[in-house]
Amino acid sequence: MSSLTHQPPKRSASVQPLWLRITHWLNAVAVLIMVMSGWRIYNASPIFDFTFPNSITLGGWLGGALQWHFAGMWLFVLNGLAYLLLNLVTGRFGRRMLPVSPRGILRDAWLALTARLSHADLGHYNQVQRAAYLFAVVDLIFLVLSGLVIWKSVQFPLLRELLGGYDMARRIHFYCMSAIVCFVAVHLLMVVLVPRSLLAMLLGRATFRRTDKESTS
């Protein structure tokens, strides 16, 4: 006589901890606010011979854009510090982001281009991902530092000089903004290609695994 025993769905092992998911999405919101309000601020005093369409900016006018920008800035700085500290304290930064080397980046990039790079284990970052995330961290740090010079140039004279002056700080701020927008665009493309990664960042797990256990008697 045989019987079939059905067990309830079993969740797969956690890929992303709760604190990481919370700080990740708060960072995403903060960056979105800062970029869109920053475009409106840029339009008030363009560096280059173009402006951004008002329809994709935030704030409605310069004063409103500045208020949004500062709100996003404080959210990003406080949440970003929490993100970095938790990554360092838990040891996640060393486990996920290191090691990284030019040879490893080129190898994994070639595997990705030839569709041979495995995405089976979402808890493991290949070296292209590691390099991209490390670049994003450095880029965001320079974004904050250049923003401080633009905001409080008189209060940060040494930082202003290290960045090449006020005008150069504005350019650095713009270039860093452009770099993070490109990073986000590529990041979203990767989510489209590997949709399980979005589920992992939302739920902490890439899938729901159901197991059916058979037994005979």
Side-chain angles (χ1 to χ4, degrees):
M1 179 178 179
S2 64
S3 64
L4 183 64
T5 303
H6 294 280
Q7 293 183 337
K10 183 184 296 183
R11 291 174 180 264
S12 59
S14 178
V15 176
Q16 307 292 8
L18 179 61
W19 65 263
L20 180 73
R21 285 177 277 146
I22 292 174
T23 54
H24 171 274
W25 289 113
L26 287 177
N27 275 341
V29 170
V31 168
L32 181 64
I33 291 173
M34 288 193 298
V35 167
M36 294 181 66
S37 61
W39 287 344
R40 172 69 70 162
I41 296 169
Y42 168 90
N43 286 350
S45 180
I47 302 174
F48 305 105
D49 294 330
F50 68 88
T51 57
F52 295 94
N54 287 333
S55 59
I56 62 172
T57 64
L58 181 65
W61 60 299
L62 179 58
L66 286 169
Q67 291 178 337
W68 275 105
H69 205 67
F70 291 143
M73 176 196 71
W74 285 115
L75 174 61
F76 172 76
V77 170
L78 296 176
N79 185 69
L81 287 174
Y83 172 84
L84 287 176
L85 287 174
L86 285 168
N87 266 285
L88 292 173
V89 169
T90 60
R92 184 183 181 278
F93 189 89
R95 293 194 306 271
R96 296 290 182 91
M97 302 299 182
L98 300 173
V100 62
S101 66
R103 176 176 294 183
I105 294 171
L106 291 174
R107 180 197 64 222
D108 286 351
W110 174 250
L111 291 175
L113 290 172
T114 55
R116 292 182 295 157
L117 189 62
S118 174
H119 298 286
D121 182 7
L122 296 180
H124 171 75
Y125 293 162
N126 62 66
Q127 294 211 30
V128 174
Q129 288 176 298
R130 295 175 190 176
Y133 288 132
L134 290 173
F135 169 81
V137 170
V138 173
D139 180 78
L140 288 169
I141 290 173
F142 273 96
L143 196 64
V144 171
L145 294 178
S146 58
L148 284 175
V149 172
I150 298 170
W151 179 34
K152 297 288 187 179
S153 182
V154 176
Q155 288 82 351
F156 296 98
L158 178 59
L159 182 58
R160 183 186 66 234
E161 295 306 313
L162 288 174
L163 294 182
Y166 179 83
D167 290 335
M168 182 56 69
R170 286 193 69 200
R171 291 178 178 270
I172 291 173
H173 200 68
F174 184 89
Y175 296 144
C176 289
M177 177 277 298
S178 302
I180 203 64
V181 169
C182 290
F183 170 82
V184 171
V186 174
H187 194 57
L188 292 175
L189 176 61
M190 293 300 101
V191 169
V192 172
L193 295 175
V194 189
R196 292 188 306 124
S197 61
L198 176 60
L199 189 61
M201 193 53 72
L202 288 171
L203 303 177
R205 297 168 175 82
T207 59
F208 283 97
R209 184 176 67 241
R210 181 187 293 274
T211 58
D212 291 330
K213 185 177 179 181
E214 294 186 357
S215 62
T216 59
S217 59

